Amino acid sequence: MPMDQDKAFHLSLKVQDLGKSVEFYGRLLGVAPAKIFADYAKFEVEDPALVLSLEPMRDGDRQGLDHLGIRLASRAALVDATSRIAERGLAFEHLAGVECCFSRQSKIYMNDPDGHLVEVYTVEADLAESRAARGADAVTGATCEARDGTFEHLLPSAFPAKIAAPDASLREINLRGTFNAAMTRDEAWRIVEECRRALQPGGKMTTHILVADREVDGELPRLPEPAAHVRRVPTEAEMRSLFEEADFVGIELKRFSHASVFGFGGAEFREYLLVASTAQRLEPKDHVAVYKGPFPSVTDERGNTYRRGVRTDVSAEAATLLRAPTYKEHFVVLVAGGGC
């Protein structure tokens, strides 16, 4: 039932059995859930003004209180509340237009002295229908197996000891949040090595995580959705070196957010989408590349050095990469002894 109040107290709980909890709170509050899915339920109560959300526990979750907050009626009300809270001397972070709890929200958030996540937010759009249409697996991200030549892993699921795929058999691996789980650098290295084992020559690996501009000291506070399961934020340098040391090639940052999306302890956290490939088998150098500039020379991950205006023999694999949109304005690629 939609509420008329300008404000409502929000409480989010992690529960062991969603069905049993929905039944209990339905009887307690005397209303049916306003939303209910395989992995989420929400009650909206007029008196007292309450928004209660329930989510089943996943690996690493603690039972009971997940977070709490105050829902406001509009972005203008959020701006006013933000000013008042700042005047009272509380430190907080901003998030705008994030997808959370089957809706799009803008919010400020902070952690209380005991580490509980507290939000003040407004709902800008209802995403329930579009997300439900994608099915339970798309909503929960509960996929962690190889299918049709691809493998996907999503935090907070545990990364397997071994990907269920033969050596050099997968075309593509997608990791979402994987390196934001609680792990050591050695464990991160094991994951990268396992992915390289399963990828075929020329296979692509994509990892989408939060990275920090410096080492983060101490335990992270609870972060709001969609980063609620983040327990560790590796540095930009660590992620770059992991893939370079594992001999991936064609490494490219597809996304590196201009502004930080979270912050803690002086470190800035940014959204980071890295794509890399395993090297193709050695091929004859039957193409020629001419680098046009602007630098005197550049070197790729395969060890090819291109001097400005000088013909360089390259393989068909390297030629294909240099013809890609990212590079083609800087190179002319010819077939050896022939044309383009």
Side-chain angles (χ1 to χ4, degrees), residues 30 36 72 84 105 129 138 171 184 198 229 292 336:
I36 183 165
L72 303 178
R84 291 194 300 271
Q105 305 177 1
E129 291 185 5
R171 299 188 311 275
T184 64
H229 295 286
K292 297 188 293 183

Side-chain angles (χ1 to χ4, degrees), residues 76-340:
L78 178 61
V79 172
D80 289 342
T82 299
S83 297
R84 291 194 300 271
I85 292 171
E87 289 172 358
R88 296 167 192 155
L90 288 178
F92 51 81
E93 301 287 344
H94 296 262
L95 277 177
V98 296
E99 188 172 326
C100 173
C101 302
F102 294 83
S103 62
R104 183 172 294 110
Q105 305 177 1
S106 289
K107 64 183 70 178
I108 63 170
Y109 70 93
M110 63 209 83
N111 294 92
D112 74 9
D114 295 305
H116 298 121
L117 178 66
V118 181
E119 302 177 347
V120 180
Y121 70 100
T122 186
V123 175
E124 297 169 339
D126 187 350
L127 305 179
E129 291 185 5
S130 62
R131 293 193 65 181
R134 301 202 298 259
D137 280 353
V139 171
T140 63
T143 176
C144 191
E145 59 184 72
R147 297 178 182 173
D148 302 323
T150 65
F151 171 79
E152 292 191 1
H153 174 261
L154 174 66
L155 190 71
S157 299
F159 193 88
K162 184 173 183 179
I163 297 173
D167 293 357
S169 64
L170 298 180
R171 299 188 311 275
E172 188 171 342
I173 290 178
N174 297 308
L175 306 181
R176 291 181 289 166
T178 303
F179 297 103
N180 288 136
M183 67 176 66
T184 64
R185 192 184 187 283
D186 287 343
E187 290 169 322
W189 173 256
R190 180 194 72 80
I191 290 172
V192 173
E193 285 280 88
E194 176 58 15
C195 291
R196 191 180 66 168
R197 175 200 66 80
L199 280 170
Q200 63 190 25
K204 183 174 74 172
M205 180 172 171
T206 300
T207 183
H208 190 185
I209 59 169
L210 286 178
V211 295
D213 61 337
R214 66 194 72 181
E215 293 284 348
V216 178
D217 294 326
E219 183 178 351
L220 289 178
R222 283 281 299 179
L223 296 175
E225 293 284 357
H229 295 286
V230 170
R231 298 294 180 266
R232 175 179 181 266
V233 182
T235 66
E236 301 158 13
E238 177 185 339
M239 293 308 301
R240 183 178 64 249
S241 65
L242 272 176
F243 283 84
E244 291 175 351
E245 291 170 16
D247 294 327
F248 277 84
V249 298
I251 301 171
E252 185 177 356
L253 289 183
K254 292 291 188 180
R255 190 175 306 157
F256 184 78
S257 57
H258 287 85
S260 61
V261 292
F262 299 107
F264 174 69
E268 295 182 343
F269 300 168
R270 281 179 165 78
E271 186 183 7
Y272 185 89
L273 180 64
L274 182 147
V275 177
S277 300
T278 50
Q280 295 274 16
R281 295 183 178 91
L282 291 177
E283 296 179 351
K285 294 188 174 183
D286 49 9
H287 288 66
V288 173
V290 180
Y291 174 54
K292 297 188 293 183
F295 303 109
S297 67
V298 293
T299 302
D300 65 21
E301 290 90 345
R302 299 166 178 82
N304 298 312
T305 297
Y306 307 93
R307 294 171 55 203
R308 184 171 50 206
V310 177
R311 292 178 177 235
T312 303
D313 294 333
V314 296
S315 67
E317 174 198 3
T320 298
L321 177 65
L322 297 180
R323 289 190 178 108
T326 305
Y327 307 106
K328 67 179 182 180
E329 67 176 288
H330 301 292
F331 289 88
V332 174
V333 180
L334 311 170
V335 178
C340 296

